[in-house]
Amino acid sequence: MTASTYGYFDDANKEYVVTTPFTPLPWINYLGNDGFFGLISNTSGGYSFYRDAKFRRITRYRYNNVPMDSGGRYFYINDNGTVWNPGGRPVRTELDHYECRHGMGYSKFIGRKNDIEVEQTTFIPLKDWCEVHRVTVTNQGAASKSVKLFSSLEWCLWNAEDDGANFQRNFSTGEVEVEGSAIYHKTEYRERRNHYSFFSVNAPLAGYDTDRQHFVGVYNDYSCPQAVMAGACTNSEAHGWSPVAAHQLDVELAAGESKTFVFVMGYVEVEPENKWQAPGVINKEPAQALMAKYDTAEKASAALKTLTDYWDGLLSRFTVKSGDERLDRALNIWNQYQNMVTFNMSRSASYFESGIGRGMGFRDSNQDTIGFAHMIPSAVRDRIIDLAATQQSDGSAYHQYQPLTKKGNADIGGNFNDDPMWLVLAVANYVKESGDVDFLSYVVPFEDTPEVPSTIYDHLKASFYHVVNNLGPHQLPLIGRADWNDCLNLNCFSTEPNESYQTTQRGDSDVAESLMIAGQFVLYGNEFIAIAKLLGLDSDADAAQPHVDAMVAAVKEHGWDGEWFLRAYDSQSNPIGSSNNAEGKIFIESQGFCTMAGIGFDDGKAKQALDSVEKHLACEYGVMLQQPAYSEYNPLYGEITSYPPGYKENAGIFCHNNPWIVVAEAMMGRADKALSYYTRITPAFIEHLTERHKTEPYVYSQMISGRDAYIQGEAKNSWLTGTAAWNYYAATQYILGIRPDYNGLQIDPCVDASLGDIKITRQFRDAVYHIEIKQGGGTGKGIASMTIDGVAVDGDVIDYQTFNGVHDIKVVLN
Ligand code: BGC
Ligand code: NOJ
């Protein structure tokens, strides 16, 4: 299955196998799914944190360093003077064999040099706050050998932002303890913290270091740490400066012998009254209890097995076998995996997001749930509650909240007028998936009225009326600071380079309006009306309907440019995204949202808009955000014009919005176009572009440079992007057409013939459906016939009340 010079997919093991340490960019994986998280590259670079990558950073990582990807949990072998890492870096010694297997929640590194093989398997167990490294050293030679094995990592002094800035204080605060084979990091524990971390190993030490200057050396780096090169740690004790944790094990191996060591890096919280076991000596009991859970190779292996079983279970809820293994690979493994990661991280910590800038985004996290609700609906429910709790009673919302405190982030504030609508999407999708209609009555007070017992339904209503109450001169939604496109800053007018486009909004009587929010309002407004009806609140539904109808009319009257939908009206009420503009004549967002909302299906506008997307925005590497790119900075439009042409929001392929066109094309019944757009950006289909793309070939990236860029088709910002949830949603619910609804599962595929006949297993609530879709030789849109357990079904919805067991469904396409 080798598909590129850098690696290949191993689907049977649900792994991507990287075959060189020198990938075009570091290719990373995520560890952890319950509070304790790690980012780990294909050379074991990266860092770990507890819940909040800004406020509880455990290990240190230096972004944008030289060389790239500096800092990680590194293991070193010193084999009689030959020094190397099983992960192939940071020591650049050429290995006889290297591979990194990124799997579901773990990464495995196999390095071999001169008959010594090291296998390092790193994972975060399902329920514990620690990172386990199972390290097996094997002597494959015919003679016995003694080698030295070193571990190393560098502690972060907890607050990642302060750690990288406040050196005058931080060089004096570092504190550690060493007991047995465990190194404890306790900086600031003496004062306001009740947490510490540790790094231990289940074997006696030949030595250790806790002070970086002793372990690495003042003028060395991690590619040649002084202690490793010399073959001996110095038993240093850090006081201030930079505390590290490094173990030295002297390993004697007979010919053919293997020895396995288990290293555990953990995080512990202690109740304030039990912080100390003696004056100045930290209470190590909770740490020792955690170490004891992983103090043998068998225990570590069992925990790894529990983790992989867990993932097998999660991924079995939706599986597909089509005529194209690339589709199966994407949907069965990597897209779902990325959905979990985006759900957990929002946009906080990746190799492109420093983890200090952003917490959980209201807009982003709501959208992330649509790729994840089928996996763990209860987690989505909890997330929606946290998000709703940061909403105001007028429907507006904090744009972000910090995961540690769950409080809205005051530095960023609100006023992004698309935000409220995403809550409707998330709630509707969750209720359809889970059948948990009662959730709509669940009480979550608004942030500004904590004493009022508002329900989730009240939140949706507030979201709906936030748009209704904020219309502009054309009766279209006011954009506020920005809508989904954070860079279309129509009320910012910034000429001051140190001012943030993201936090500046000038003027109280803004007139700038968004056609994208207009489409969103029609789409999710209709959803709100359906929910009101579901609850029997017909008067609410009746009151809402005219607002939606009026919006459709406003879009048709003021939002249609002739061949496509306008994008916005600016602060002077001039159109943006019009053929009359010199640049930025056509934008993708309003084409996607207005058509997904069903606007213009009756009069040909939707079809014309999608044809215009194909004509003006589509290119080999995906669909560009707008065309032509802006060539100059324009304070009236803001950050979008700050980017050089072809990058990011200025005419890059901003992958997140491509699936909107896929959904719309599927609704339109154009199966070939829907699939074509889907495959242009889906990693499994574009492995051959890896060299150009540069980012990981198993996950979506936020952005691929567009036609105007110096290098076209180059991806950036991998992993944390709404593309993951949206493309999964588009492929499963609109191409394959397996679409949860309040009362059952709708089957409405739009499948190109190239995908052949398809078999799907879909767990839906407590039912399991085995669905066979056969090509019908026609358009591929919709069903010609459907049977359940051999009995013909009327229509295209499987009624959950009647069919809630295990069922065979056979579908013939039109
Ligand atoms: C980026 C956007 C992002 C925004 C908010 C901008 O610089 O271009 O993609 O949404 O920052 O963080
Ligand atoms: C990335 C941000 O995370 C998201 O919130 C925004 O919608 C897009 N960029 C587009 O600007």
Side-chain angles (χ1 to χ4, degrees):
M1 255 195 265
T2 301
S4 90
T5 28
Y6 304 104
Y8 60 94
F9 287 99
D10 178 351
D11 293 345
N13 288 308
K14 303 191 176 77
E15 291 173 337
Y16 188 86
V17 188
V18 191
T19 51
T20 168
F22 305 105
T23 42
L25 287 171
W27 287 356
I28 75 164
N29 193 9
Y30 281 82
L31 311 176
N33 37 32
D34 192 21
F36 191 95
F37 297 103
L39 284 66
I40 187 161
S41 74
N42 60 308
T43 58
S44 200
Y47 62 91
S48 311
F49 61 95
Y50 172 73
R51 285 204 199 283
D52 193 315
K54 177 175 181 178
F55 290 125
R56 217 41 72 80
R57 184 82 60 98
I58 297 173
T59 58
R60 193 176 271 167
Y61 184 76
R62 293 179 187 79
Y63 275 90
N64 198 12
N65 211 331
V66 181
M68 227 169 189
D69 196 21
S70 296
R73 350 57 190 141
Y74 295 130
F75 292 92
Y76 297 87
I77 290 288
N78 184 332
D79 175 2
N80 300 294
T82 304
V83 177
W84 54 278
N85 307 107
R89 277 193 67 236
V91 184
R92 290 180 64 112
T93 303
E94 199 180 321
L95 302 185
D96 300 336
H97 176 83
Y98 157 92
E99 75 187 53
C100 160
R101 292 179 165 263
H102 282 319
M104 305 287 107
Y106 66 90
S107 290
K108 186 187 281 189
F109 306 86
I110 302 172
R112 196 183 313 132
K113 181 81 187 167
N114 298 342
D115 290 337
I116 294 292
E117 181 177 279
V118 178
E119 183 183 298
Q120 170 200 339
T121 305
T122 299
F123 65 99
I124 292 175
L126 263 189
K127 294 279 169 216
D128 280 328
W129 297 342
C130 64
E131 201 170 270
V132 175
H133 309 268
R134 188 188 63 191
V135 179
T136 300
V137 189
T138 303
N139 176 7
Q140 297 182 332
S144 60
K145 259 202 156 177
S146 51
V147 298
K148 292 169 198 290
L149 169 67
F150 297 86
S151 72
S152 89
L153 55 81
E154 193 167 325
W155 301 115
C156 181
L157 308 191
W158 304 114
N159 179 328
E161 187 172 35
D162 189 76
D163 185 67
N166 194 8
F167 304 109
Q168 61 80 25
R169 167 179 159 86
N170 296 341
F171 283 166
S172 292
T173 54
E175 289 192 299
V176 298
E177 286 183 32
V178 180
E179 191 183 284
S181 295
I183 296 165
Y184 297 85
H185 175 230
K186 60 169 187 176
T187 301
E188 290 189 346
Y189 190 77
R190 61 168 56 249
E191 25 136 343
R192 295 160 297 176
R193 296 190 181 276
N194 65 340
H195 42 267
Y196 62 79
S197 51
F198 65 86
F199 192 26
S200 68
V201 57
N202 65 342
L205 301 183
Y208 63 85
D209 269 305
T210 67
D211 174 50
R212 194 181 74 202
Q213 295 183 13
H214 286 81
F215 181 68
V216 180
V218 180
Y219 295 107
N220 286 34
D221 58 45
Y222 282 96
S223 72
C224 52
Q226 203 168 267
V228 176
M229 303 317 278
C233 281
T234 67
N235 297 353
S236 59
E237 198 177 305
H239 292 269
W241 299 111
S242 288
V244 298
H247 303 104
Q248 178 191 339
L249 303 181
D250 290 348
V251 188
E252 307 289 330
L253 294 165
E257 193 186 3
S258 283
K259 283 188 178 158
T260 298
F261 305 97
V262 185
F263 294 81
V264 179
M265 195 275 286
Y267 167 85
V268 161
E269 291 184 350
V270 193
E271 310 84 56
E273 58 282 12
N274 292 327
K275 275 176 75 170
W276 307 99
Q277 69 188 41
V281 181
I282 60 174
N283 175 357
K284 302 189 180 62
E285 262 177 41
Q288 283 157 351
L290 187 50
M291 286 172 215
K293 293 176 81 172
Y294 304 101
D295 60 2
T296 66
E298 291 70 29
K299 288 184 195 174
S301 301
L304 179 61
K305 169 92 170 45
T306 307
L307 179 67
T308 50
D309 286 352
Y310 170 76
W311 269 104
D312 287 346
L314 272 185
L315 295 178
S316 70
R317 299 176 69 87
F318 187 109
T319 58
V320 52
K321 175 102 187 62
S322 72
D324 192 326
E325 67 167 9
R326 297 170 300 180
L327 181 78
D328 307 351
R329 175 178 299 148
L331 295 183
N332 295 340
I333 306 174
W334 290 99
N335 197 166
Q336 294 200 60
Y337 186 63
Q338 189 176 3
N339 290 347
M340 161 83 97
V341 172
T342 55
F343 177 82
N344 284 335
M345 298 288 130
S346 197
R347 306 295 169 268
S348 64
S350 76
Y351 266 28
F352 298 85
E353 301 273 12
S354 65
I356 61 177
R358 303 160 72 180
M360 310 299 281
F362 192 89
R363 164 200 298 144
D364 295 318
S365 290
N366 271 306
Q367 291 175 81
D368 290 343
T369 65
I370 68 172
F372 190 62
H374 70 290
M375 290 168 86
I376 312 184
S378 61
V380 166
R381 185 179 192 276
D382 292 347
R383 175 62 47 76
I384 293 174
I385 291 169
D386 290 348
L387 288 162
T390 66
Q391 189 179 30
Q392 313 295 304
S393 51
D394 71 354
S396 65
Y398 273 104
H399 197 48
Q400 287 162 20
Y401 72 89
Q402 287 305 132
L404 210 54
T405 60
K406 299 198 173 169
K407 293 276 173 255
N409 192 333
D411 302 347
I412 309 295
N415 271 353
F416 293 86
N417 283 351
D418 62 316
D419 271 343
M421 280 292 115
W422 297 118
L423 187 67
V424 183
L425 166 66
V427 170
N429 186 72
Y430 163 71
V431 174
K432 288 175 181 174
E433 179 67 46
S434 62
D436 181 10
V437 177
D438 291 347
F439 182 56
L440 297 163
S441 315
Y442 185 80
V443 171
V444 183
F446 290 103
E447 206 264 353
D448 58 334
T449 54
E451 68 296 341
V452 182
S454 311
T455 63
I456 290 288
Y457 174 78
D458 295 333
H459 283 263
L460 303 188
K461 192 168 171 182
S463 289
F464 183 90
Y465 283 99
H466 188 263
V467 175
V468 174
N469 294 332
N470 288 281
L471 298 178
H474 301 90
Q475 296 304 299
L476 293 165
L478 291 172
I479 200 168
R481 214 185 278 171
D483 62 21
W484 173 89
N485 189 334
D486 266 347
C487 297
L488 199 56
N489 314 121
L490 305 182
N491 301 302
C492 179
F493 319 121
S494 187
T495 52
E496 158 59 54
N498 289 319
E499 182 171 78
S500 161
Y501 294 112
Q502 298 298 316
T503 52
T504 305
Q505 180 176 358
R506 294 198 165 84
D508 301 327
S509 56
D510 309 326
V511 295
E513 296 164 290
S514 161
L515 263 302
M516 186 213 148
I517 304 180
Q520 248 193 326
F521 178 74
V522 173
L523 180 56
Y524 302 134
N526 278 325
E527 201 66 68
F528 167 68
I529 291 169
I531 287 175
K533 287 184 181 156
L534 187 73
L535 295 180
L537 300 170
D538 290 354
S539 59
D540 274 13
D542 292 346
Q545 190 65 57
H547 295 294
V548 172
D549 296 344
M551 189 65 76
V552 173
V555 169
K556 288 196 174 180
E557 191 181 341
H558 300 294
W560 181 250
D561 189 57
E563 290 178 43
W564 56 78
F565 295 101
L566 295 177
R567 176 62 177 87
Y569 283 98
D570 69 13
S571 55
Q572 325 293 307
S573 270
N574 291 323
I576 295 180
S578 160
S579 53
N580 295 322
N581 295 116
E583 295 173 340
K585 287 172 185 286
I586 172 170
F587 281 68
I588 192 171
E589 303 99 322
S590 44
Q591 316 316 321
F593 261 89
C594 291
T595 53
M596 283 199 294
I599 303 172
F601 272 68
D602 51 351
D603 59 7
K605 287 189 171 63
K607 178 172 177 301
Q608 214 175 348
L610 293 176
D611 288 344
S612 296
V613 167
E614 183 176 26
K615 184 165 164 204
H616 301 287
L617 298 179
C619 74
E620 184 186 350
Y621 304 113
V623 187
M624 293 174 286
L625 193 146
Q626 96 275 18
Q627 277 291 295
Y630 293 111
S631 55
E632 286 172 16
Y633 177 60
N634 179 351
L636 290 183
Y637 294 1
E639 186 171 359
I640 189 167
T641 60
S642 76
Y643 288 113
Y647 295 99
K648 295 275 287 179
E649 281 86 345
N650 189 13
I653 295 152
F654 213 95
C655 300
H656 183 147
N657 50 39
N658 281 219
W660 302 345
I661 304 300
V662 175
V663 171
E665 286 290 2
M667 287 171 63
M668 186 71 65
R670 303 200 289 193
D672 53 338
K673 293 189 200 295
L675 183 65
S676 165
Y677 292 136
Y678 170 76
T679 59
R680 282 181 220 196
I681 62 164
T682 293
F685 287 85
I686 50 178
E687 254 190 300
H688 58 284
L689 295 176
T690 297
E691 190 82 43
R692 176 179 288 270
H693 235 246
K694 295 199 172 77
T695 51
E696 295 89 334
Y698 39 91
V699 290
Y700 291 103
S701 294
Q702 181 205 65
M703 196 274 294
I704 300 171
S705 52
R707 198 186 278 151
D708 305 275
Y710 179 65
I711 299 172
Q712 300 177 24
E714 185 186 44
K716 283 182 193 147
N717 301 4
S718 55
W719 282 97
L720 301 187
T721 163
T723 318
W726 266 103
N727 234 19
Y728 185 77
Y729 179 83
T732 56
Q733 299 206 20
Y734 285 86
I735 293 180
L736 299 177
I738 314 297
R739 200 176 307 149
D741 208 338
Y742 297 106
N743 299 319
L745 197 61
Q746 190 184 5
I747 312 286
D748 176 25
C750 183
V751 171
D752 187 66
S754 65
L755 293 177
D757 293 340
I758 297 172
K759 285 191 177 152
I760 293 166
T761 297
R762 172 62 149 100
Q763 187 165 337
F764 177 60
R765 304 178 195 169
D766 291 326
V768 177
Y769 301 115
H770 298 291
I771 306 167
E772 258 187 73
I773 300 176
K774 281 210 172 311
Q775 295 288 337
T779 59
K781 169 67 177 175
I783 59 178
S785 67
M786 175 158 76
T787 60
I788 290 195
D789 306 326
V791 180
V793 183
D794 228 8
D796 63 1
V797 176
I798 299 162
D799 172 9
Y800 179 71
Q801 296 314 322
T802 318
F803 303 106
N804 58 5
V806 178
H807 296 284
D808 281 317
I809 298 174
K810 292 203 184 341
V811 172
V812 179
L813 294 174
N814 283 320

